[in-house]
């Protein structure tokens, strides 16, 4: 007795068996929109914040709602929401019917950030000794990354890596409260770092040397030497604020 014939394959089964089958336009459209974009206000917020931190929008620049809406491709309502968030963070100041003024970095802000960094980083680097092999390896990696960014002229990237280098040491100090406090300085550090590198392009070479000195002090287990180098390294920004750049 012969076997019964297999039922004919459905369109779905046929398409699954044929890898070369062309997708229908509706399926392509569904796949294209499967990944949702962030909310419009979040996109404007990220666009403006990144522009301020990387100095595409420098201090003193007046941003208008219309220009930002066009740049990001949204309506003005989410632009207003994003600008309110940025004003709370101290990056801009809103002027009704005029726009948003990007606030320049003041000498007082530099002094406040430097003082906080010294307190946190000097304490943390002392606690980090003896440094773990994992920390030493990570600092080596960041130092090489920053050197490559500097060589390529990527000042914004070098500023981010600079901040990561110090943040790794703070985290290794083992105090979660201090780590969170330090993270709150992130935006100010990045903005100041990029500004300094643009104004003093020769400073990146000295930064790389001082990072290497910090790394070697940690590698040798010399806590006091590491603290002294961190103090000198961070204090340079105070000299900048007072106009005593060396």
């Amino acid at each position: 007795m012969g076997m019964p014939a297999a039922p004919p394959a459905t369109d779905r089964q046929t398409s699954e068996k044929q890898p070369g089958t062309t997708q229908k336009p509706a399926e392509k459209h569904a796949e294209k929109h499967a990944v949702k974009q962030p909310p419009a206000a979040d996109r404007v917020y990220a666009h403006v914040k990144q522009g301020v931190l990387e100095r595409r929008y420098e201090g003193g620049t007046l941003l208008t709602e219309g220009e930002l809406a066009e740049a990001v491709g949204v309506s003005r309502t989410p632009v207003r929401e994003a600008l309110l968030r940025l004003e709370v963070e101290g990056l801009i100041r809103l002027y009704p019917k005029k726009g948003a003024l990007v606030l320049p970095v003041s000498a007082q802000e530099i002094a406040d950030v430097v003082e906080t960094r010294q307190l946190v980083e000097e304490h943390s680097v002392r606690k980090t000794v003896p440094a773990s092999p994992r920390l030493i390896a990570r600092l080596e990696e960041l130092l090489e990354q920053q050197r490559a960014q500097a060589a390529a002229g990527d000042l914004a990237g070098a500023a981010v890596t600079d901040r990561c280098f110090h943040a790794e040491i703070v985290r290794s100090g083992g105090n979660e409260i201090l780590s969170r406090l330090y993270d709150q300085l992130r935006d100010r550090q990045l903005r100041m770092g990029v500004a300094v590198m643009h104004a003093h392009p020769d400073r990146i070479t000295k930064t790389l040397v001082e990072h290497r000195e910090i790394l070697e002090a940690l590698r040798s287990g010399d806590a006091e030497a590491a603290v002294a180098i961190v103090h000198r390294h961070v204090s340079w920004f105070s000299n900048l604020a007072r106009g005593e750049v060396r």
Side-chain angles (χ1 to χ4, degrees), residues 77-90:
T77 300
V79 172
R80 294 190 195 101
E81 182 182 333
L83 292 179
L84 284 170
R85 289 168 60 187
L86 292 162
E87 184 176 44
V88 171
E89 294 182 12

Side-chain angles (χ1 to χ4, degrees), residues 45 48-49 52-53 59-60 82-94 100-106 109 184 187-188 191:
Y45 171 84
V48 177
K49 187 168 188 175
V52 171
L53 296 183
L83 292 179
L84 284 170
R85 289 168 60 187
L86 292 162
E87 184 176 44
V88 171
E89 294 182 12
L91 293 178
I92 65 168
R93 179 174 296 147
L94 291 175
L101 181 71
V102 178
L103 295 176
V105 180
S106 68
E109 181 179 3
Q184 291 174 15
D187 292 344
R188 287 183 169 88
R191 193 178 179 202

Side-chain angles (χ1 to χ4, degrees), residues 2 27 31 36 101 109 113 176 178 184 186-187 190 200 225 239 244-245:
E27 292 173 337
E31 281 191 9
K36 293 183 179 179
L101 181 71
E109 181 179 3
V113 170
E176 288 299 321
L178 282 183
Q184 291 174 15
R186 177 182 182 275
D187 292 344
L190 291 180
H200 305 277
N239 300 322
E244 300 170 3
V245 173

Side-chain angles (χ1 to χ4, degrees), residues 1-239:
M1 186 173 180
M3 295 291 292
T10 64
D11 291 341
R12 179 179 177 84
Q13 290 170 327
T14 303
S15 65
E16 287 175 348
K17 291 180 181 180
Q18 297 176 357
T21 303
T22 304
Q23 279 186 311
K24 296 176 181 178
E27 292 173 337
K28 287 184 178 179
H29 181 78
E31 281 191 9
K32 181 179 179 181
H33 293 275
V35 179
K36 293 183 179 179
Q37 284 190 316
D42 289 350
R43 300 205 307 275
V44 178
Y45 171 84
H47 170 82
V48 177
K49 187 168 188 175
Q50 198 68 20
V52 171
L53 296 183
E54 294 182 356
R55 294 182 78 246
R56 284 184 283 109
Y57 297 139
E58 296 192 40
T61 302
L62 186 67
L63 307 173
T64 67
E65 290 181 2
E67 290 170 344
L68 294 175
E70 184 177 352
V72 184
V74 298
S75 68
R76 294 195 180 198
T77 300
V79 172
R80 294 190 195 101
E81 182 182 333
L83 292 179
L84 284 170
R85 289 168 60 187
L86 292 162
E87 184 176 44
V88 171
E89 294 182 12
L91 293 178
I92 65 168
R93 179 174 296 147
L94 291 175
Y95 290 93
K97 298 182 181 179
K98 291 184 179 180
L101 181 71
V102 178
L103 295 176
V105 180
S106 68
Q108 185 59 53
E109 181 179 3
I110 292 174
D112 290 347
V113 170
V114 168
E115 183 178 14
T116 307
R117 284 190 62 184
Q118 286 175 331
L119 290 171
V120 175
E121 291 188 39
E122 290 175 30
H123 173 78
S124 298
V125 78
R126 183 177 280 110
K127 284 191 67 180
T128 294
V129 177
S132 68
R134 188 209 67 80
L135 175 62
I136 296 299
R138 177 59 177 154
L139 295 181
E140 285 278 12
E141 177 187 343
L142 289 169
L143 186 57
E144 290 309 310
Q145 181 175 319
Q146 190 178 24
R147 182 175 286 111
Q149 289 165 327
D154 181 7
L155 300 184
V160 171
T161 305
D162 182 295
R163 196 265 168 194
C164 288
F165 183 94
H166 292 275
E168 284 289 339
I169 296 173
V170 172
R171 277 193 290 271
S172 294
N175 187 317
E176 288 299 321
I177 295 176
L178 282 183
S179 293
R180 287 196 293 271
L181 172 63
Y182 192 78
D183 285 342
Q184 291 174 15
L185 297 176
R186 177 182 182 275
D187 292 344
R188 287 183 169 88
Q189 283 181 258
L190 291 180
R191 193 178 179 202
M192 287 166 53
V194 174
V196 165
M197 289 182 190
H198 277 280
H200 305 277
D202 58 322
R203 176 62 193 175
I204 185 63
T205 301
K206 192 165 187 178
T207 293
L208 290 169
V209 170
E210 290 173 351
H211 279 185
R212 172 59 65 183
E213 291 175 350
I214 293 169
L215 174 58
E216 293 307 324
L218 288 174
R219 196 197 306 274
S220 65
D222 191 339
E224 294 311 312
V227 170
I229 299 165
V230 167
H231 179 83
R232 171 165 45 89
H233 179 65
V234 176
S235 293
W236 187 85
F237 286 94
S238 290
N239 300 322

